[in-house]
Amino acid sequence: MDITNLPIRKINTLFSKKELKPSELYSQIFDNAANSEASLHAHLTLFEDENIKKAKESDSRFDSGTAESLLDGIPIAIKDNINIKGYKTTCSSKMLSNYTSPYDATVIKKLKESQTLFTGKTNLDEFAMGSSTENSAFGLTRNPWNTDFVPGGSSGGSAASVGARSSIAALGSDTGGSIRQPASFCGLVGFKPTYGTVSRYGLIAFASSLDQIGPITKTVDDSRIIFSAISGDDPRDATSIVNNQVDIPSGKSAKIGVIKELMEDGISDEAKNEVNKVTEILKSNGYEVKEISIPIIELAISIYYLIAPAECSANLARFDGVRYGLRVDGNTSYEMMENTRAEGFGKEVKRRILLGTYALSAGYYDEYYGKALQARKEMIDEFTKAFDEVDYLISPTTPTQAFKAGEKTSNPLEMYMSDLCTIPANLAGLPAISIPTGITNENLPLGVQVMSRALSDHSLLNFSEIIEKEIQFNQQPKGWV
Amino acid sequence: MSLQPTIGIETHIELNTNTKMFCRCGVVDTEDPNVSLCPTCLGLPGALPVPNKKAIESITLLALSTGCEITRKGMFHRKNYFYPDLPKNYQISQFDLPVGLNGELEIVIEESTDNIQIERVHMEEDTGKSTHSGSGRIESATSTALDFNRSGVPLVEIVTKPVITSSKQAVAYIEELRQLAIDLNISEGRLEKGNLRFDANISVAPEGSSELGTKVEIKNMNSLRSLERAIDYEIERQTKAVEDGVEIIQETRHWDENKELTSTMRSKEGSADYRYFSDPDLPNMYLSEDFINQVKSTMPQLPKKQREELVDTGLSLKQANILSKSDVWIKSLYFKVHKQTKDSEASFNWITGELQGQMRKSNIEKLPDWFSYEYLSEIIELIKNSKISFTSAKVILSELLNTDSTPNEVAEQKNLFQENDTDKISEMIVQILEENQDVVERIKTGEDKLVGFLVGLVMKQSNGSVNPGMAKELLLKKIED
């Protein structure tokens, strides 16, 4: 039996029955990491030695029957833009290559309270800006299904790690699809919760109004367990909200909409086929499925590439060499700041800072950023209308399967297009999930995305679980365990 | 051509909250650098701001007491600029939706009042403190020491409309604003500690012109004296430029305290584009009717109302203004003494003149516990009833500040009661006239002034116990006889 292939609830049962020890699972996870890291480079830092003691503590809790949490002793990988006290948080940037966080992110605090173990910090596109995990100052991450291909991004390290079983699950962050797109590329479940349900305190901000932490897991239930552990109102995050869940039907009375604009040109036949496969199954199970038009989705990428860079241009201003991180000297303070930023940031980060600075400049604000805010409001309105008609919206997660490493690095616009289907949920603050549904001709996985109204995360997970059961994906990349 | 100056003033007042604006760090008054810090006020990656309710109350209180309209749906904005002591390289401030708009403040100059129109009252977080070595400015500093204790301390910024026309008005305005902040108990109001900081925008234009001249901003005025001097200097400089036909450049100028002149800091071309945008880390700020009413209910008597009450006791506006800008105990002492004596002039003079003068001279900061306001009333009554001389009264007051006693006791002890018995005084005078026949002769030939000399002799002989008015009257009468 491959224990690292099991869902969390099953592992917990084995722990409780004393048929498996957390420390045994822990060492299996690190064996897997030893087997895959050289080829995949999912982790930037592995915590093995430091955490053996904690795994043993978990052993004794199960021995004495005092373990209370489902996550006790479960090794989880953490995207390296989430702070863990005493460890490096680099954001895959030269700027923070030597930066050690003096505090825990709220999600880390909560996972520690649940006695979760950490495998280490995973690779990402620098400051979470990218869709392939190729924009990392420390080298790219590869797709565990085929190492010629990218794992997606920006949470590509997290997805590759769960895919290669060098962690049981992982945390990622999702600003425009950074959890769901790599989950889809790696045959995993990726869940972006409703904006505000998971605290952003300690997540190094890319675009504050869009960023949301969420899980990348093998099953929907694993995502549910992690979401329950990390969500909740946080007095340290003014944008966090009380997780007052609304119940919507997930059984046969649920109404399903297929987003018209995400089944048109620009979406590969393979991706469309996955959606059709799911809707056919749902229909045959008695669900009502209809087409829903949300015209403004066609503007999603334009809106996103004004709002996200604008916010990032201010969020990343703090990296100046004055108080922490990289410092490149100069003759004056300003020269030092300029030299530091010139050398510390990679190309894509600089591109977005410039875009954002321009969009906010005097004389351009109204035309660009201001218009984008208006359009974002309209998008929220259009989604609200859509959810008056249906309970869930289905679309492809990504327009295509994973692409080859290097294929899109010279064409940023093409790279940006790979987030077409995922961006709307961030702009509207909605919960959205990617569920693995099929394998393409090139033997790469593909997923389908489901969205629902704000604060219906649990219903969305219940509904996704129904699809998961019907589809019976049950496949994993070979050669890593 | 006669030129008219127009001045607008921006004032920052440091609030006296226990904690900073967006974190729980204490607001500290210490020379030890960097002792009150956390991830948020140090701008560490991933840290987030959470607003301080008490600070919002203070700002709302100031806005209400200057008659501003309160913005019910307010917002926090990011003001973007790079400076080493600004940890995030943006300052959280307010832009188009400040807490208060369109207020006014009554100021007093000598015996007349003016209303200064206020454009806006808004929240801002303070920066850290830079100490440049090698020179006072960052551009030429060889090194810069940074203290972030002040970083994130809440400020309220008050911006006047361009309605001030002289340095005298400007000073009266700052004095009034400072007193208001103290009376509202929202700030210590200590200029020497930088609790109040002000910049002035100055322009000159031909009298009667409907358009304002090119405005110049003056920074670095650290006291009321430098405010007055800098404004006067700048008006003179601009007036001369216009008269000489030299173009005035829109720029920021730096007041040099030592050289007593302003010099160019940066011109408009070099001025910052702050790229204001709504802070995505902070939700909109709704000030409810209940909140505003609750803040209103804490409003104390305002300086303007205080002055009206003081004028009603019989004081001039100038006197009332002096008292309204004095410490609370002085104001209340005045009201108590006045209530007993019904003599506004004497009460005012004794309190603001002799009492405060003696206290300053003897370095007494507060009245001794035994010192009752009734002592002042007694002293005033004793003078009025000619029981003691003014000189004796001063001696008595001085004694009361150092010894637990009463005015009557001191007068008794020191034998300071005036001799009002005409017969006794006449006896003394006859003797003195006999001993000074030559002086009497000179007085008779017209040297009136010498009467004073004789009065002095009477006072000396009586150890000051004779009422000098009475002595003079009797002397003249006897000489005429």
Side-chain angles (χ1 to χ4, degrees):
Chain A
M1 180 179 60
D2 171 15
I3 49 173
T4 59
N5 201 28
L6 297 172
I8 292 171
R9 224 174 274 274
K10 178 72 185 163
I11 294 173
N12 181 259
T13 308
L14 294 178
F15 284 168
S16 299
K17 287 190 189 159
K18 298 175 191 170
E19 288 170 23
L20 176 68
K21 280 180 189 292
S23 58
E24 289 165 6
L25 174 64
Y26 197 74
S27 60
Q28 179 63 53
I29 284 290
F30 277 91
D31 286 349
N32 293 355
N35 194 31
S36 62
E37 280 301 325
S39 329
L40 299 180
H41 191 224
H43 283 86
L44 293 174
T45 321
L46 281 165
F47 293 174
E48 183 172 12
D49 294 341
E50 298 103 293
N51 278 288
I52 288 171
K53 194 172 144 254
K54 286 197 177 132
K56 296 256 193 248
E57 284 167 16
S58 188
D59 288 355
S60 26
R61 275 193 299 278
F62 281 101
D63 279 345
S64 60
T66 54
E68 282 170 8
S69 154
L70 273 171
L71 289 171
D72 196 332
I74 303 292
I76 288 183
I78 306 295
K79 188 177 182 179
D80 203 20
N81 60 351
I82 298 172
N83 288 315
I84 303 181
K85 187 177 176 175
Y87 289 100
K88 275 191 191 175
T89 306
T90 69
C91 286
S92 288
S93 179
K94 194 174 173 189
M95 185 65 89
L96 291 176
S97 56
N98 62 0
Y99 177 71
T100 297
S101 176
Y103 74 100
D104 277 330
T106 297
V107 291
I108 295 300
K109 203 171 144 247
K110 284 174 178 267
L111 287 179
K112 281 181 174 175
E113 282 161 9
S114 304
Q115 313 289 0
T116 310
L117 302 176
F118 302 121
T119 60
K121 305 298 286 290
T122 57
N123 201 9
L124 63 149
D125 287 297
E126 186 180 2
F127 285 102
M129 296 176 198
S131 309
S132 65
T133 317
E134 290 168 291
N135 303 329
S136 166
F138 310 117
L140 53 81
T141 295
R142 292 180 182 276
N143 192 313
W145 290 76
N146 183 334
T147 53
D148 288 341
F149 290 79
V150 301
S154 65
S155 311
S158 287
S161 162
V162 180
R165 309 302 192 244
S166 63
S167 60
I168 294 297
L171 285 192
S173 66
D174 190 316
T175 307
S178 282
I179 286 175
R180 291 160 286 159
Q181 187 251 25
S184 175
F185 281 7
C186 295
L188 299 164
V189 173
F191 176 48
K192 182 202 91 75
T194 300
Y195 182 81
T197 54
V198 178
S199 168
R200 293 184 296 112
Y201 186 77
L203 165 70
I204 299 183
F206 159 18
S208 315
S209 75
L210 303 163
D211 295 343
Q212 191 64 183
I213 294 171
I216 295 177
T217 58
K218 297 188 291 284
T219 67
V220 174
D221 187 44
D222 284 2
S223 277
R224 178 191 286 130
I225 292 168
I226 292 174
F227 174 63
S228 297
I230 62 174
S231 59
D233 189 21
D234 182 7
R236 288 181 182 278
D237 176 0
T239 62
S240 73
I241 52 177
V242 180
N243 193 0
N244 279 332
Q245 288 284 314
V246 292
D247 272 331
I248 50 173
S250 48
K252 287 178 178 136
S253 62
K255 290 186 201 138
I256 320 301
V258 177
I259 300 173
K260 177 171 170 278
E261 288 74 14
L262 295 179
M263 293 293 278
E264 294 176 340
D265 295 347
I267 305 292
S268 70
D269 289 342
E270 284 178 326
K272 285 181 202 165
N273 289 342
E274 291 304 316
V275 173
N276 291 332
K277 186 168 83 189
V278 171
T279 51
E280 285 312 313
I281 291 174
L282 288 170
K283 276 186 209 160
S284 68
N285 276 299
Y287 284 88
E288 183 189 332
V289 180
K290 61 175 172 182
E291 188 182 73
I292 291 280
S293 175
I294 304 179
I296 201 162
I297 278 186
E298 289 176 347
L299 292 178
I301 295 216
S302 309
I303 302 169
Y304 179 84
Y305 278 98
L306 288 169
I307 289 177
E311 291 184 12
C312 106
S313 72
N315 283 334
L316 270 61
R318 67 186 63 195
F319 303 109
D320 56 7
V322 172
R323 286 145 296 129
Y324 49 77
L326 180 75
R327 175 183 288 187
V328 181
D329 276 334
N331 289 323
T332 64
S333 296
Y334 281 115
E335 228 182 87
M336 181 276 285
M337 288 159 116
E338 282 169 19
N339 293 346
T340 300
R341 291 170 67 80
E343 202 171 315
F345 289 137
K347 210 170 169 184
E348 182 61 25
V349 171
K350 282 181 190 161
R351 179 164 23 234
R352 296 199 194 190
I353 290 173
L354 286 173
L355 257 175
T357 306
Y358 184 74
L360 290 173
S361 298
Y364 296 101
Y365 179 100
D366 290 338
E367 207 173 325
Y368 295 119
Y369 187 70
K371 280 245 171 74
L373 288 183
Q374 268 180 341
R376 184 179 186 180
K377 269 204 188 103
E378 271 176 45
M379 177 170 285
I380 293 169
D381 290 345
E382 287 196 15
F383 268 108
T384 305
K385 269 187 219 145
F387 286 122
D388 285 342
E389 283 189 57
V390 295
D391 299 305
Y392 302 97
L393 287 168
I394 292 193
S395 72
T397 306
T398 55
T400 63
Q401 63 172 28
F403 42 89
K404 279 193 171 151
E407 193 182 320
K408 296 190 178 180
T409 40
S410 57
N411 191 337
L413 281 182
E414 218 175 89
M415 185 78 91
Y416 295 172
M417 288 308 286
S418 71
D419 293 332
L420 171 66
C421 310
T422 46
I423 280 173
N426 298 85
L427 288 171
L430 305 172
I433 189 168
S434 179
I435 312 157
T437 54
I439 302 285
T440 66
N441 293 335
E442 288 185 89
N443 197 36
L444 287 168
L446 255 184
V448 155
Q449 174 178 248
V450 189
M451 288 185 258
S452 59
R453 72 200 68 181
L455 283 170
S456 64
D457 306 66
H458 279 300
S459 299
L460 176 64
L461 290 164
N462 293 341
F463 178 66
S464 303
E465 208 165 27
I466 292 169
I467 297 177
E468 183 182 46
K469 275 195 189 116
E470 291 294 338
I471 291 283
Q472 290 291 329
F473 176 70
N474 290 340
Q475 300 199 52
Q476 67 181 99
K478 305 209 165 36
W480 306 113
V481 181
Chain B
M1 177 177 59
S2 174
L3 291 169
Q4 172 70 45
T6 303
I7 303 159
I9 296 182
E10 293 171 14
T11 312
H12 289 91
I13 302 179
E14 196 177 295
L15 299 178
N16 61 357
T17 51
N18 294 326
T19 56
K20 294 185 180 181
M21 185 64 219
F22 293 111
C23 60
R24 310 287 152 77
C25 286
V27 174
V28 294
D29 181 9
T30 172
E31 293 297 311
D32 294 341
N34 299 313
V35 293
S36 189
L37 303 176
C38 75
T40 296
C41 60
L42 205 48
L44 293 192
L48 294 171
V50 176
N52 179 337
K53 191 180 171 201
K54 177 73 188 148
I56 301 298
E57 284 172 3
S58 298
I59 296 163
T60 307
L61 184 60
L62 183 71
L64 285 168
S65 54
T66 46
C68 283
E69 303 150 20
I70 303 296
T71 308
R72 300 292 296 276
K73 188 192 154 188
M75 222 180 236
F76 296 103
H77 275 72
R78 291 184 182 177
K79 178 182 182 180
N80 296 286
Y81 66 95
F82 280 84
Y83 202 85
D85 64 20
L86 185 63
K88 301 185 292 297
N89 285 316
Y90 63 80
Q91 188 177 25
I92 305 176
S93 179
Q94 292 192 290
F95 186 52
D96 52 351
L97 296 168
V99 171
L101 280 167
N102 301 321
E104 64 177 21
L105 188 64
E106 183 190 270
I107 62 166
V108 180
I109 298 174
E110 298 292 321
E111 296 296 346
S112 62
T113 62
D114 269 317
N115 276 320
I116 302 298
Q117 305 301 308
I118 287 172
E119 194 172 286
R120 51 189 282 137
V121 171
H122 72 255
M123 185 294 310
E124 207 166 67
E125 59 173 340
D126 211 342
T127 63
K129 219 183 235 171
S130 299
T131 309
H132 305 298
S133 53
S135 84
R137 298 210 198 165
I138 187 170
E139 294 81 3
S140 44
T142 51
S143 71
T144 299
L146 295 166
D147 175 9
F148 292 100
N149 284 342
R150 206 180 65 182
S151 167
V153 168
L155 301 173
V156 56
E157 180 172 347
I158 305 97
V159 182
T160 72
K161 291 185 177 159
V163 291
I164 295 168
T165 53
S166 70
S167 61
K168 270 204 168 52
Q169 268 196 340
V171 169
Y173 165 74
I174 294 295
E175 282 175 335
E176 186 68 24
L177 192 57
R178 172 179 176 270
Q179 192 56 45
L180 180 62
I182 292 169
D183 286 356
L184 297 176
N185 190 24
I186 62 168
S187 174
E188 302 303 318
R190 296 178 67 172
L191 273 92
E192 74 281 8
K193 293 216 166 206
N195 290 163
L196 251 86
R197 304 192 285 268
F198 26 81
D199 303 326
N201 286 299
I202 304 173
S203 63
V204 295
E207 210 159 342
S209 158
S210 59
E211 274 178 39
L212 293 177
T214 307
K215 93 181 163 185
V216 171
E217 188 179 14
I218 311 295
K219 287 191 179 289
N220 194 44
M221 300 168 295
N222 302 319
S223 64
L224 289 174
R225 186 176 165 274
S226 58
L227 175 71
E228 188 171 5
R229 301 238 175 164
I231 290 174
D232 285 341
Y233 175 89
E234 189 57 25
I235 292 172
E236 207 182 304
R237 185 188 73 85
Q238 290 186 24
T239 305
K240 187 165 185 304
V242 172
E243 283 166 359
D244 293 351
V246 177
E247 192 194 353
I248 292 168
I249 304 160
Q250 185 171 339
E251 61 179 352
T252 300
R253 293 175 74 87
H254 179 95
W255 170 247
D256 188 319
E257 190 76 45
N258 299 321
K259 294 184 193 153
E260 299 216 323
L261 50 80
T262 64
S263 60
T264 299
M265 266 175 89
R266 54 173 182 259
S267 66
K268 198 199 172 196
E269 293 78 49
S271 83
D273 171 5
Y274 292 122
R275 304 189 307 282
Y276 281 97
F277 75 106
S278 163
D279 191 330
D281 286 331
L282 293 160
N284 291 341
M285 176 171 61
Y286 294 96
L287 302 183
S288 68
E289 186 92 45
D290 283 352
F291 174 83
I292 293 168
N293 285 334
Q294 179 254 315
V295 170
K296 241 182 217 162
S297 72
T298 67
M299 197 187 291
Q301 191 186 47
L302 301 178
K304 178 182 173 178
K305 185 88 184 109
Q306 257 174 40
R307 281 193 293 269
E308 285 168 12
E309 270 190 15
L310 288 163
V311 166
D312 284 346
T313 67
L315 290 180
S316 73
L317 183 58
K318 185 180 174 182
Q319 288 170 327
N321 189 40
I322 290 170
L323 270 186
S324 80
K325 293 191 171 44
S326 304
D327 291 347
V328 177
W329 68 268
I330 293 172
K331 287 177 218 175
S332 93
L333 185 62
Y334 169 81
F335 279 112
K336 285 176 186 164
V337 174
H338 175 262
K339 200 174 172 197
Q340 282 195 321
T341 62
K342 304 277 179 274
D343 186 336
S344 57
E345 200 67 26
S347 306
F348 176 85
N349 287 334
W350 272 97
I351 292 168
T352 62
E354 199 53 34
L355 177 65
Q356 283 190 272
Q358 287 204 17
M359 286 175 73
R360 251 194 311 274
K361 225 190 255 168
S362 323
N363 276 323
I364 300 171
E365 282 198 3
K366 64 189 262 278
L367 282 176
D369 293 339
W370 65 77
F371 192 100
S372 159
Y373 70 91
E374 290 177 339
Y375 296 176
L376 278 175
S377 308
E378 253 180 84
I379 289 173
I380 290 167
E381 290 300 322
L382 287 171
I383 297 173
K384 200 181 281 173
N385 297 330
S386 303
K387 293 272 178 58
I388 53 173
S389 69
F390 194 78
T391 319
S392 304
K394 288 182 183 178
V395 174
I396 293 169
L397 183 62
S398 158
E399 189 66 21
L400 289 173
L401 287 174
N402 294 303
T403 325
D404 185 357
S405 191
T406 70
N408 270 300
E409 283 169 13
V410 176
E412 193 73 46
Q413 218 173 23
K414 299 209 166 222
N415 202 17
L416 294 175
F417 280 118
Q418 287 186 144
E419 194 51 75
N420 290 314
D421 184 328
T422 331
D423 292 345
K424 270 193 178 168
I425 299 172
S426 296
E427 222 170 273
M428 211 184 289
I429 281 172
V430 170
Q431 193 197 335
I432 285 173
L433 290 178
E434 266 171 24
E435 288 166 7
N436 295 281
Q437 283 297 332
D438 52 333
V439 180
V440 175
E441 288 309 312
R442 284 166 69 186
I443 290 170
K444 278 180 177 167
T445 60
E447 287 186 68
D448 290 354
K449 280 181 187 164
L450 285 172
V451 178
F453 170 73
L454 292 179
V455 172
L457 289 177
V458 175
M459 299 306 291
K460 198 176 170 191
Q461 188 150 339
S462 68
N463 283 324
S465 70
V466 168
N467 178 339
M470 196 179 275
K472 188 178 175 189
E473 205 177 302
L474 289 170
L475 270 168
L476 287 172
K477 214 171 159 200
K478 283 269 188 277
I479 293 169
E480 272 169 36
D481 289 348

